[in-house]
Amino acid sequence: MPAIAIIGAQWGDEGKGKATDLLGNRVDYVVKFNGGNNAGHTVVIGDQKYALHLLPSGILTPGCTPVIGNGVVVDLAVLFEEIDGLEARGVDTSLLKVSANAHVIADYNRSLDKVTERFLGSRRIGTTGRGIGPTYADKMNRVGIPIQDIFDEKILTQKVEGVLELKNQILTKIYNRRSATVEQTVEELLAFAERLHPMVCDTGLLLNQALDRGETVLLEAGQATLLDVDHGTYPFVTSSSATAGGACTGSGIPPMRMDQVIGIVKAYTTRVGEGPFPTELSDDFGEHLRKVGAEYGTTTGRPRRCGWYDSVIARYAARVNGVTDFVLTKLDVLTGLEKVPVCVAYDVNGVRHDEMPVNQSDFHHAVPIYEDFPGWWEDISAAKTFEDLPKNAKDYVLAVEKMSGARISAIGVGPDRDATIVVHELI
């Protein structure tokens, strides 16, 4: 069996957790391959709602092995807080595996993230302040701390001493903040070593051996395509690779073993943080989408910016990721609107762009060109098949599918686990 990637095809918060959970009972491993606790997935099972940040959504499926891959950065306190919270609700987390090569978020990374954002002022990126970016920067600068180092106190101390020689200069002399101490940092990280050790392994070997046995591996992205550090709306992006290419580097699974990429798109568009957003609505329609769609960050609680569906970025995501199937979520949120606009292209200084502009300045000034579709008033939350949808809802889905570059294989019609219409089997 192949590896399958689930990718956000907008700016995040598309419902990847629900899509992963939908497939969970048909896969053997679910892997988080990028990001940290700067993003969240909300999964609703019956009357229970679970907010996941570091843990893969597969943690909620009995018998499925959840894996935190090498491409993730891990705040150990958050990890165990999340584990304890799930176990207190009766969720078995004993199968969790964590890559020895995933990097840890230290106290100085969190401090630098917060003070840097404050220093930037109006030029801020809109990070969550959880130390994600500085930890990835340390990794690329080769001064990061992989999880494996926590199990060797001598090596850990040496690495912390080395990195703090620079970090404390920045904290104290540039930002006028208190310096971090080697002893405190080492003590904080060592406190988790004993409990963490049984979970840690060579996850790349684990996953490739699973594929050799004919088992199915699902690769679950944090964030989304337009937040990818290479392919997103830079610099208003995350610090990791959230696309299908990142699924390979962040898990240790080679590209030829992945033959399906499932892109998740909302029936409208949202964004958290700063950066350009052509279809953003600052009127009553935007507030309506936010209220009806409960558009507040799973991790931060921040209100999400809301706008109409953008087929230009959907086509871009399909191309960058090689999307084979789209899952269209939250179609029910559009119920009750007289008309539903869809962005089909951009106008940039009088020039029509059917694809993403090549530079961010043009994208920032892009004005959406809309095509309007008639709305529907019928409650669709109980729909089980595509034919159960009202005609106008079906027409909307078919039009969006034609514009977006890949078939729509599933449609979310409500927040519950089973409120999904399967048009084409995903596995």
Side-chain angles (χ1 to χ4, degrees), residues 13 40-42 49 51 53 266 268 270-272 286-306 330:
D13 308 309
H41 297 322
T42 299
K49 180 183 289 188
H53 306 283
K266 275 181 186 166
Y268 50 102
T270 62
R271 178 168 196 169
V272 171
E287 185 57 37
H288 173 82
L289 293 175
R290 185 179 299 112
K291 181 178 179 180
V292 177
E295 295 297 350
Y296 297 89
T298 302
T299 296
T300 64
R302 289 185 291 182
R304 296 173 184 144
R305 300 158 63 189
C306 297
K330 290 196 168 184

Side-chain angles (χ1 to χ4, degrees), residues 14 23 33 47 83 85 94 130 175 185 219 238 242 252 299 332 345 399:
E14 301 96 345
L23 299 172
F33 64 80
D47 60 354
I83 289 171
S94 63
R130 286 164 165 78
Y175 295 118
T185 302
L219 302 157
T238 193
T299 296
D332 54 301

